[in-house]
């Protein structure tokens, strides 16, 4: 059973999963080491992330946390941070001046994969986008992440565009 908690509670969402009680909440700066461990816990992230110097991550956290168009979320299992993602809201002129939501940096600890935690997070983010009046939810996932492609397709996402990036 999934319940949205009241505005006075720190939890954004609470759900029972096979391993215990899963809770979504706004990330705090002291969550950064665990978030970085989640981001680095795969073949791509392992080459991009390093907790050796937290300063750039703290600077980014402050920018995200201080902007109402961005939300950094963590998922906890019985108090331990086991998942994360960022939800951002982008205005645009296309689609009749509509807003879109961007989901980034989705990670779930390997011990929880297959228990529905990722779906809970994405479905919660989609509902937030609806409530905010967005006409579209978008995300990117690396071409090598074939399992992630299947996961997002099961949730209704369509690979309708070809994304491109330029490293600076």
């Amino acid at each position: 059973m999934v319940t949205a908690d009241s505005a006075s509670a720190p939890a954004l969402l609470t759900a029972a999963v096979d391993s215990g009680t899963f809770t979504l909440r706004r990330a705090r700066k002291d969550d950064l080491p665990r978030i970085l461990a989640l981001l680095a816990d795969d073949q791509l992230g392992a080459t991009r992330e390093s907790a050796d110097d937290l300063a750039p991550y703290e600077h980014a956290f402050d920018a995200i946390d201080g902007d109402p168009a961005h939300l950094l979320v963590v998922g906890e299992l019985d108090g331990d941070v086991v998942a994360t993602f960022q939800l951002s809201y982008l205005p645009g002129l296309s689609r009749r001046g509509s807003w879109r939501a961007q989901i980034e940096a989705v990670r779930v600890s390997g011990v929880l994969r297959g228990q529905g935690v990722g779906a809970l997070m994405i479905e919660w983010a989609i509902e937030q986008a609806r409530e905010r009046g967005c006409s579209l939810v978008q995300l990117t996932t690396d071409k090598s992440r074939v399992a992630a492609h299947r996961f997002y397709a099961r949730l209704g996402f369509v690979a309708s565009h070809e994304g491109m990036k330029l490293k600076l």
Side-chain angles (χ1 to χ4, degrees), residues 21-167:
T21 301
F22 179 75
T23 304
L24 286 182
R25 66 167 171 79
R26 182 180 204 100
R28 299 182 306 253
K29 195 179 279 191
D30 64 352
D31 294 320
L32 280 174
R34 186 61 189 130
I35 292 170
L36 295 178
L38 288 165
L39 293 175
D41 189 25
D42 70 19
Q43 63 190 23
L44 297 174
T47 63
R48 297 187 298 220
E49 310 304 338
S50 172
D52 293 341
D53 179 10
L54 287 180
Y57 296 105
E58 290 172 341
H59 180 72
F61 178 90
D62 290 341
I64 294 165
D65 196 50
D67 187 335
H70 302 281
L71 177 63
L72 184 60
V73 176
V74 294
E76 291 182 325
L77 179 66
D78 299 326
D80 294 324
V81 173
V82 294
T84 189
F85 70 94
Q86 181 177 333
L87 179 61
S88 297
Y89 300 102
L90 309 168
L93 292 176
S94 65
R95 298 178 184 263
R96 300 180 54 88
S98 69
W99 284 75
R100 63 189 67 210
Q102 175 83 22
I103 300 172
E104 287 287 332
V106 178
R107 297 292 191 284
V108 174
S109 174
V111 298
L112 280 177
R113 290 191 195 127
Q115 294 188 37
V117 168
L120 285 170
M121 295 188 332
I122 300 302
E123 289 165 356
W124 181 86
I126 291 168
E127 186 55 33
Q128 296 307 297
R130 278 192 184 103
E131 288 179 13
R132 183 110 174 206
C134 295
S135 68
L136 182 74
V137 177
Q138 62 189 26
L139 54 82
T140 60
T141 180
D142 192 273
K143 288 184 177 189
S144 68
R145 297 182 194 266
V146 178
H149 303 165
R150 287 191 305 267
F151 166 74
Y152 292 120
R154 280 195 312 269
L155 294 174
F157 287 84
V158 177
S160 60
H161 289 66
E162 184 75 18
M164 301 176 102
K165 295 188 180 196
L166 175 66
K167 251 189 207 179

